[in-house]
Amino acid sequence: MKLFQIEEPDGLPVDTEAPGAAIGIDIAGPLADVAVAVGGNATVLTDREGFAIDLAVPPMDASTAQWQTLFEGARLRAERMLGRPVTHAVVAIDQSPPPALTDTLTEAAAAAGIELLRVEMPSSGEAPVLAAAILAEDLAPRPEGQ
């Protein structure tokens, strides 16, 4: 008879207080785009077939609740694709954001469980959602020890 020994993989337990992933969200068009960056390399996140999420961008003067719905959808898309929590975001916009809009977006993101790091018009030559994702990666807090 042979015996097998099964061991748990090495590693620390998941820290529920650690920050999750940071994403970029582009709200310039009729539908929002979502991207993530790792090591400065960004990629757009899309839904799997059969699991599409409507990320319609509300009007700029929309209520906090309407914006919250968008942030919840963006978060869900990212978490499905990444397989880990999303806790931070940078929003790309095609105009200079008025303070009232920034306040509304910050409040809506917080209600959706996301800390909004910045709302801005990306100036790099990259697609705005990719630039936002790279900036989000740079601005997001790092887990202790990294």
Side-chain angles (χ1 to χ4, degrees), residues 19-23 36-38 75-87 137 143 146:
I23 59 173
V36 67
V38 177
R75 180 178 172 198
L76 180 60
R77 175 180 289 174
E79 287 178 346
R80 282 180 178 169
M81 295 304 297
L82 300 173
R84 65 184 202 147
V86 170
T87 56
E137 179 188 31
Q146 288 189 359

Side-chain angles (χ1 to χ4, degrees), residues 27 58-71 91 93 97-112 114-116 119:
I27 62 169
M60 293 299 148
D61 61 349
S63 69
T64 301
Q66 289 173 295
W67 285 108
Q68 179 182 343
T69 300
L70 174 71
F71 282 112
V91 170
I93 189 169
L101 176 60
T102 301
D103 292 343
T104 299
L105 293 176
T106 301
E107 187 179 325
I114 297 173
E115 181 180 338
L116 191 57
V119 178

